[in-house]
Amino acid sequence: MEDLVRVARIEHFKLPTLLSAAGESPTHLRLVISGHVELVTRHISGSEIVVGHIAAGGWVTWLAVFMTQAPTHDFYISASSSCLALPVKDVQSFCVQYPEIYPMVIRMIGHRMRLLIEWTGQSVLATPVQRMAKLLSVLAQEQNRQTDQNGVTLYVTQARLASQARCSRQTANQLLQQLEQEGLIVPGYGQFTIPDWTRLNHFAEGHLE
């Protein structure tokens, strides 16, 4: 911890900012303190989509520390955000010096991989409203790390949900209204409250009529 603090710096961003572009190896590993970071992929046609969203408490990203191939997407941090930044070269040196770090890193990477597999399977098999419910469930797990029946507040906009669900904003609005009518979510400004995450997840998986 003392070694990490010695090389760490706190960054504040008033405006949306590109942290690193596709094809560039990030120079820093970042822990999001407030706000969020979006992973954006672009098609040759010029269209783009947000393929990942890292909220407060998430790392951007451990894979960049260990992989020699540069990421194929851009990293954008939102306005009014802050993060703790650690130089990648120093983190690599610390991992060699303190190998007990590796199991912790593997658990964090494995957590995101499990959620990605869940979302991929459910997005193919489920109905549109179940897909939206599963997307909310996965994002809540990613944001909170641990979920229970006491309620979760998910900080995400309807526009971003539409982008990640690959549907129009109008369709996303209709699906979210259905979930609200079922009592599974409570919409707010830039956020959705999930009163009972377990019930939402059961609905997404078809176990709740």
Side-chain angles (χ1 to χ4, degrees), residues 1-190:
M1 290 297 295
E2 291 177 354
D3 286 341
L4 290 171
V5 169
R6 178 173 51 82
V7 301
R9 73 184 188 200
I10 301 294
E11 300 174 328
H12 301 285
F13 300 89
K14 292 183 178 180
L15 301 174
T17 303
L18 176 66
L19 296 178
S20 63
E24 297 179 357
S25 295
T27 58
H28 287 78
L29 171 69
R30 291 178 168 91
L31 173 66
V32 181
I33 298 172
S34 62
H36 67 271
V37 172
E38 293 182 345
L39 283 61
V40 180
T41 292
R42 289 181 173 80
H43 189 263
I44 192 172
S45 64
S47 60
E48 62 180 43
I49 183 175
V50 177
V51 295
H53 177 274
I54 301 174
W59 290 90
V60 188
T61 99
W62 280 102
L63 285 177
V65 174
F66 301 109
M67 295 188 66
T68 56
Q69 182 180 0
T72 57
H73 44 261
D74 301 330
F75 293 91
Y76 279 94
I77 193 163
S78 63
S80 302
S81 296
S82 60
C83 59
L84 182 145
L86 302 167
V88 166
K89 290 184 178 180
D90 287 321
V91 175
Q92 292 170 335
S93 175
F94 295 154
C95 287
V96 173
Q97 187 175 357
Y98 307 108
E100 57 269 27
I101 292 176
Y102 285 108
M104 177 191 69
V105 175
I106 292 171
R107 284 195 298 270
M108 288 189 290
I109 295 175
H111 176 75
R112 292 183 61 87
M113 182 61 67
R114 180 179 60 80
L115 294 178
L116 174 61
I117 293 172
E118 281 187 24
W119 166 240
T120 301
Q122 200 73 3
S123 63
V124 174
L125 300 174
T127 65
V129 69
Q130 287 176 324
R131 283 201 301 272
M132 182 59 73
K134 190 61 178 181
L135 178 58
L136 290 166
S137 172
V138 166
L139 292 175
Q141 291 180 77
E142 182 180 42
Q143 176 180 290
N144 293 275
R145 307 297 178 220
Q146 294 181 345
T147 49
D148 53 33
Q149 296 187 15
N150 296 325
V152 177
T153 298
L154 179 62
Y155 299 96
V156 61
T157 63
Q158 183 173 299
R160 192 172 71 79
L161 289 173
S163 175
Q164 290 197 258
R166 297 298 289 163
C167 65
S168 67
R169 293 192 182 186
Q170 181 180 4
T171 298
N173 182 58
Q174 293 172 348
L175 297 175
L176 291 167
Q177 284 183 0
Q178 291 183 50
L179 295 175
E180 182 182 3
Q181 291 169 4
E182 294 286 343
L184 297 171
I185 62 171
V186 178
Y189 182 74

